[in-house]
Amino acid sequence: MTPVELSRTVLRAVRRAVDDGELSVTVPERAVVGEPGPGGCGDYATTIALQLARPAGQPPRRVAEILRPRLADAAGIQDVVVTGPGFLNITLAAQADPVSGLVREIQGKGVRYGYGDALAGQVVALRVPYEVRAEVVADVVVRLVGAQGGRATVEHGEPADLRPVPAPEDPAPLGPDAARWALLHPAPHDRPRISADHLVQRESNPLFRVRYAHARIRSLSRNAARLGFTAEPGPVAAPHLGHHVTTTGAARHGDCAPNAGAAHPDAARLGFTAEPGPAEPGPVEPGPTAPTQPGALPRPAPHPDAGTTLRPLLTPLADHPRILAAAAIHRAPDRVARHLVTVADAVLPFLPCVLPRGDEKPSAAHRARLALAEAAGTVLAGGLSLLGIDAPEHL
């Protein structure tokens, strides 16, 4: 069970308590779950009882006690303990592999992963002014509504009900992809920047990071094929090699550590290391062009003890359906754009683990890691497609 799935489970417990008449509150859109704090226990903890106490008119601990049995009965949960003023500490039931199910779901649905029925049967009427940003936002809202089972219509005129802050100048010189990103990435109430910053290959450019991550994943898939293996969901651990990557713990025994014999400063900074290629059937192709300036791309762990976790990657992948639904309901394509940046920044530190290095032979763990990386690439491609932006195979 991922944190996002657990968040939904918590919300279902709240809804059951409301339906049973034990709580009189509006069920929130999301319940925050995280690691237990001091004095806590289990795998996760949530402060939902403290959040609901005031609107429920009850002490936080009483709210927690109401929710505890409903959470404890949920599938995938082994135990729930209330600590402190009302923290709910959750221990998950043992699972053979919490990653494979998510990866298989993304594989099965492809770029349509995250599509749903949140607006099934609904017709969303949009009225927009004659302005380039409003036109682009409306175009993407139509796509998002359609992805949630609804249908959107667009009319022009006043009074407008979809009026983002206009672009200060014509974005067309940036080209279609950068222009759309410049108009869609900022929140509707923020003025978009129409500048060449959207074109440069630097870590400071969010669009570049998203497209670079996708191109890098596609490059890994091609290189894996040259090494003789393809993606297959499964545990991302390789016990026979002493390697282990977990959803909650650190990567051990250097699994994601840079190759000391081949670490180039740019490669380490960008989240990848040298990849061995076979003598046949052909050479391993180089990865995407590296950004020209140092900056904020996540780095791989410089030492195995520093740790690299899967949770920062699994969480946004599992959260993708909720993000798409919320973006459609609230007519907010910027939520999708920012989510893609989160996915890109989460997957880049994981990529050094994917291909065999040194004398390693391709194993089931490498196939599973490639499957997880490709799942992230699928989410990036699907999100960019909804925004009307190209997801490049090469960069």
Side-chain angles (χ1 to χ4, degrees):
M1 182 180 295
T2 66
V4 173
E5 292 169 335
L6 180 57
S7 174
R8 295 172 185 158
T9 300
V10 172
L11 292 180
R12 283 195 292 269
V14 174
R15 186 173 299 280
R16 286 176 57 195
V18 171
D19 292 343
D20 292 343
E22 293 201 53
L23 287 178
S24 179
V25 295
T26 300
V27 180
E29 181 178 324
R30 189 179 187 188
V32 177
V33 297
E35 296 183 0
C41 58
D43 299 307
Y44 293 97
T46 178
T47 58
I48 188 69
L50 284 74
Q51 176 184 341
L52 298 177
R54 177 170 292 181
Q58 300 191 50
R61 193 171 182 94
R62 172 57 185 159
V63 175
E65 292 292 352
I66 291 173
L67 297 177
R68 189 192 68 77
R70 293 171 172 83
L71 271 175
D73 288 343
I77 293 180
Q78 177 177 314
D79 191 25
V80 180
V81 176
V82 179
T83 60
F87 299 113
L88 286 159
N89 298 267
I90 303 167
T91 300
L92 300 181
Q95 297 183 36
D97 178 18
V99 180
S100 297
L102 175 62
V103 174
R104 290 185 191 279
E105 181 182 0
I106 297 174
Q107 276 188 339
K109 296 181 178 178
V111 295
R112 295 178 65 85
Y113 169 67
Y115 286 29
D117 57 2
L119 296 175
Q122 297 187 34
V123 177
V124 178
L126 304 174
R127 181 177 290 271
V128 300
Y130 287 98
E131 190 275 325
V132 62
R133 189 183 185 195
E135 297 274 7
V136 171
V137 170
D139 173 69
V140 178
V141 170
V142 170
R143 299 170 188 236
L144 291 170
V145 170
Q148 296 302 314
R151 182 172 66 88
T153 62
V154 180
E155 297 180 356
H156 296 83
E158 299 293 344
D161 57 10
L162 184 66
R163 190 194 297 274
V165 173
E169 57 186 288
D170 183 9
L174 296 178
D177 289 336
R180 290 181 77 90
W181 183 269
L183 298 175
L184 294 169
H185 182 252
H189 56 269
D190 291 335
R191 184 172 298 277
R193 283 187 308 106
I194 309 300
S195 72
D197 290 345
H198 296 291
L199 301 174
V200 296
Q201 294 188 352
R202 297 177 182 172
E203 296 95 330
S204 58
N205 179 0
L207 173 60
F208 173 74
R209 297 211 302 278
V210 171
R211 287 158 58 95
Y212 173 82
H214 179 268
R216 177 67 184 150
I217 292 166
R218 299 302 302 141
S219 175
L220 287 175
S221 298
R222 293 189 293 270
N223 287 344
R226 290 182 172 89
L227 289 170
F229 72 97
T230 57
E232 183 177 339
V236 292
H240 62 287
L241 294 176
H243 295 170
H244 191 61
V245 182
T246 71
T247 56
T248 57
R252 304 184 181 99
H253 302 304
D255 201 46
C256 289
N259 186 329
H264 185 279
D266 285 340
R269 171 169 54 81
L270 292 171
F272 65 91
T273 58
E275 298 166 352
E280 55 184 13
V284 173
E285 67 180 64
T289 304
T292 57
Q293 296 292 331
L297 276 181
R299 305 182 183 188
H303 186 276
D305 291 338
T308 299
T309 68
L310 288 182
R311 184 176 293 172
L313 174 56
L314 295 177
T315 299
L317 294 184
D319 207 22
H320 188 62
R322 185 189 68 83
I323 295 293
L324 293 190
I329 292 170
H330 298 288
R331 308 177 186 180
D334 58 293
R335 297 190 183 198
V336 178
R338 291 196 299 272
H339 179 67
L340 296 182
V341 177
T342 300
V343 173
D345 288 347
V347 74
L348 281 166
F350 174 70
L351 299 185
C353 305
V354 173
L355 296 186
R357 293 178 298 175
D359 296 330
E360 282 185 308
K361 300 296 183 182
S363 67
H366 293 112
R367 292 191 289 273
R369 294 170 195 163
L370 180 61
L372 178 55
E374 288 184 353
T378 298
V379 168
L380 293 174
L384 286 172
S385 175
L386 286 171
L387 298 180
I389 297 174
D390 179 55
E393 295 283 314
H394 304 270
L395 194 61

